[in-house]
């Protein structure tokens, strides 16, 4: 057993020298909803959104990114500029718990081992899995929301800009729309054939929600070899 332990110690320096650099941090911002209830403004954060994220920088131009984010999503027809919605007066509130994995691409080289100040825009996309309440309304009481626990997938489209504010911290500002594979976050199109359940709005368009805010990540790990494998 001691020999095996000593052998692992011998290999450990080679493992760390070839390790990729890592980032771990937090997201803090706001959320808004775009669907069949409430305002149709795409970036209008109104509810607190927060989360944690991890990045594995494979090169100065791209990183694998994993995150968990959570927020209350809300909509109120009274906030809409559309006369039909404001007269209808529906509203809702939901909770989104989102897990995401994908690829972040930097428009400029962002080598974290070069401690000079760097700034780059970036784009991120991948796949989301999120948990939410599928809302529905009875035709006899359309202003009362009912709910059942559900989950779905979505595609994130995030644009941002970031800079290294110190040798080990990176500050980012981003806005990210999520196209979802459901139309029931606001209760407009629940999955049911019951004639007693109300369906309204554009039944051919799925829901969107948007997280906008800042990220702060701490970098750690040995200098990677950014070369062809």
């Amino acid at each position: 057993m001691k020999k095996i332990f000593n052998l692992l110690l011998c290999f450990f320096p080679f493992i760390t020298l070839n390790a990729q650099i890592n980032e771990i941090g937090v997201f803090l911002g706001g959320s808004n909803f775009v669907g069949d209830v409430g305002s149709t403004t795409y970036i209008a954060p109104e509810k607190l959104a927060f989360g944690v994220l991890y990045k594995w920088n494979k090169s100065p131009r791209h990183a694998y990114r994993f995150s968990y984010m959570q927020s209350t999503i809300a909509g109120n027809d009274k906030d809409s500029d559309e006369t039909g919605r404001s007269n209808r007066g529906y509203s809702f509130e939901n909770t989104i718990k989102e897990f995401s994995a994908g690829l972040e691409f930097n428009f400029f080289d962002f080598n974290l081992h070069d401690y000079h100040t760097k700034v780059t825009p970036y784009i991120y996309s991948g796949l989301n899995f999120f948990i939410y309440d599928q809302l529905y309304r009875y035709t006899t009481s359309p202003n009362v929301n009912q709910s059942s626990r559900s989950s779905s997938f979505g595609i994130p489209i995030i644009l941002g800009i970031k800079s290294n504010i110190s040798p080990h911290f990176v500050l980012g500002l981003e806005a990210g729309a999520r196209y979802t594979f459901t139309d029931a976050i606001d209760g407009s199109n629940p999955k049911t054939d019951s004639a007693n359940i109300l369906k309204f709005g554009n039944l051919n368009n799925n829901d969107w929600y948007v997280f906008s805010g800042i990220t702060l990540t701490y970098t750690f790990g040995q200098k990677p070899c950014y070369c062809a494998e």
Side-chain angles (χ1 to χ4, degrees):
M1 186 68 182
K2 186 177 179 181
K3 291 182 179 179
I4 295 175
F5 179 74
N6 290 333
L7 185 62
L8 289 174
L9 287 178
C10 292
F11 277 108
F12 183 75
F14 296 99
I15 296 172
T16 56
L17 285 173
N18 288 283
Q20 304 296 331
I21 194 167
N22 305 278
E23 292 180 63
I24 188 168
V26 295
F27 169 89
L28 183 65
S31 68
N32 65 283
F33 174 80
V34 182
D36 293 302
V37 176
S39 173
T40 54
T41 303
Y42 267 88
I43 301 179
E46 57 180 0
K47 297 291 185 179
L48 177 67
F50 59 92
V52 293
L53 63 151
Y54 166 77
K55 299 180 187 180
W56 179 34
N57 290 276
K58 187 66 175 175
S59 81
R61 283 296 185 97
H62 76 283
Y64 299 111
R65 170 170 163 168
F66 308 89
S67 66
Y68 168 81
M69 296 187 185
Q70 179 176 332
S71 180
T72 297
I73 301 291
N76 192 324
D77 283 341
K78 298 298 184 183
D79 298 328
S80 176
D81 295 329
E82 298 180 11
T83 304
R85 291 194 183 195
S86 58
N87 290 337
R88 183 179 61 189
Y90 289 167
S91 64
F92 80 96
E93 205 169 82
N94 213 324
T95 299
I96 299 288
K97 297 180 179 180
E98 172 197 280
F99 301 87
S100 182
L103 185 70
E104 183 174 294
F105 174 79
N106 301 321
F107 287 87
F108 306 134
D109 280 355
F110 201 73
N111 187 343
L112 294 174
H113 290 285
D114 175 4
Y115 293 144
H116 294 91
T117 301
K118 299 171 290 297
V119 179
T120 182
Y122 62 89
I123 186 170
Y124 167 80
S125 189
L127 186 66
N128 287 349
F129 171 78
F130 64 96
I131 301 168
Y132 71 106
D133 288 327
Q134 180 178 223
L135 301 181
Y136 59 96
R137 298 170 169 84
Y138 288 110
T139 55
T140 54
S141 53
N143 290 312
V144 179
N145 292 315
Q146 311 292 333
S147 66
S148 61
R149 207 63 176 154
S150 188
S151 61
S152 186
F153 291 92
I155 299 175
I157 306 169
I158 297 176
L159 293 174
I161 186 168
K162 61 185 177 182
S163 176
N164 56 326
I165 58 175
S166 80
H168 287 288
F169 285 96
V170 177
L171 182 67
L173 176 66
E174 65 180 38
R178 278 75 166 170
Y179 171 78
T180 72
F181 298 158
T182 179
D183 194 21
I185 294 177
D186 57 6
S188 64
N189 188 17
K191 294 180 180 179
T192 179
D193 295 324
S194 173
N196 297 321
I197 302 298
L198 179 67
K199 293 189 178 185
F200 61 92
N202 189 339
L203 303 183
N204 296 315
N205 284 346
N206 288 345
D207 294 330
W208 295 72
Y209 63 91
V210 181
F211 287 165
S212 308
I214 60 173
T215 63
L216 181 64
T217 57
Y218 174 77
T219 67
F220 63 98
Q222 297 294 323
K223 184 174 182 178
C225 176
Y226 291 143
C227 52
E229 295 181 354

